[in-house]
Amino acid sequence: DTPQDPESGEVENTSNEWSIPVAEVLDGGPGRDGIPALENPGMVDASEVFTVNGTDLILGYKNGNDVRAYQHVILDWHEIINDDIGDVSLAVTYCPLTGTGIGWNRVVDGKETTFGVSGLLYQTNLVPFDRATNSNWSQILNESVNGSLSGRKADLVQLVETDWDTWRAMYPETRGVST
């Protein structure tokens, strides 16, 4: 299927406007924002996180004394979490189909944005879009693949993927995403 504009139903872009083969950009089903990304989710202390068992995977991030766990079980439902941690504007992008979790700095070309789920897939992988320009991004390529930011790479933010027990042992002060 060729990507379509969510409002008009027309093909969004011709193949020469994509930096990847448009024939390989598939409609994942839910449409733009059909899977709702989270923005600045509520965080709770480790003792109040009931969505994970000890061996469940999380994506962890530490900035100074602020330590956060983004549970896979939450990311399975939302795919993207936009969060502000101190001086870092973080987008945690997670593709349940490929099991890939990547942290992006949400400041692109000097402007802060948030990322949403486009509903599109490339190589069976998440294609987020940034709300500032509506450019589509390939998570697996770490770059914008169409729109005004085409070819622009996202600045990576280092995350740690581990199980909940290990993360909690390393960082007992961690907080996790509230339900």
Side-chain angles (χ1 to χ4, degrees):
D1 294 338
T2 303
Q4 296 181 347
D5 180 284
E7 292 179 16
S8 70
E10 296 178 17
V11 173
E12 274 188 29
N13 293 287
T14 60
S15 59
N16 65 356
E17 293 177 0
W18 288 77
S19 62
I20 55 177
V22 72
E24 295 179 26
V25 178
L26 303 177
D27 183 347
R32 186 168 280 215
D33 281 326
I35 297 172
L38 295 179
E39 292 188 33
N40 295 313
M43 303 298 284
V44 295
D45 291 335
S47 63
E48 297 176 48
V49 174
F50 298 109
T51 56
V52 289
N53 294 313
T55 58
D56 290 346
L57 293 176
I58 61 94
L59 292 170
Y61 179 72
K62 179 182 186 304
N63 184 14
N65 292 326
D66 198 341
V67 183
R68 299 186 184 198
Y70 302 95
Q71 306 94 297
H72 274 222
V73 69
I74 302 281
L75 289 162
D76 282 339
W77 287 96
H78 295 282
E79 297 187 4
I80 298 173
I81 298 177
N82 297 284
D83 206 359
D84 293 309
I85 304 103
D87 59 348
V88 176
S89 297
L90 172 65
V92 177
T93 65
Y94 178 74
C95 180
L97 296 174
T98 57
T100 50
I102 299 174
W104 286 348
N105 187 322
R106 294 187 297 107
V107 177
V108 180
D109 286 344
K111 290 183 176 178
E112 185 176 83
T113 189
T114 57
F115 286 90
V117 180
S118 72
L120 303 175
L121 299 169
Y122 173 63
Q123 298 182 345
T124 317
N125 185 252
L126 173 69
V127 175
F129 72 97
D130 74 82
R131 289 194 168 89
T133 69
N134 285 318
S135 297
N136 288 303
W137 295 71
S138 168
Q139 185 215 39
I140 205 135
L141 294 176
N142 185 45
E143 74 178 50
S144 176
V145 292
N146 91 326
S148 63
L149 296 176
S150 188
R152 175 72 163 81
K153 295 275 189 187
D155 292 332
L156 296 174
V157 176
Q158 187 173 1
L159 303 176
V160 174
E161 183 176 51
T162 189
D163 65 65
W164 176 239
D165 279 348
T166 301
W167 184 254
R168 215 173 38 192
M170 290 170 45
Y171 301 106
E173 73 279 17
T174 194
R175 298 180 318 140
V177 179
S178 168
T179 56

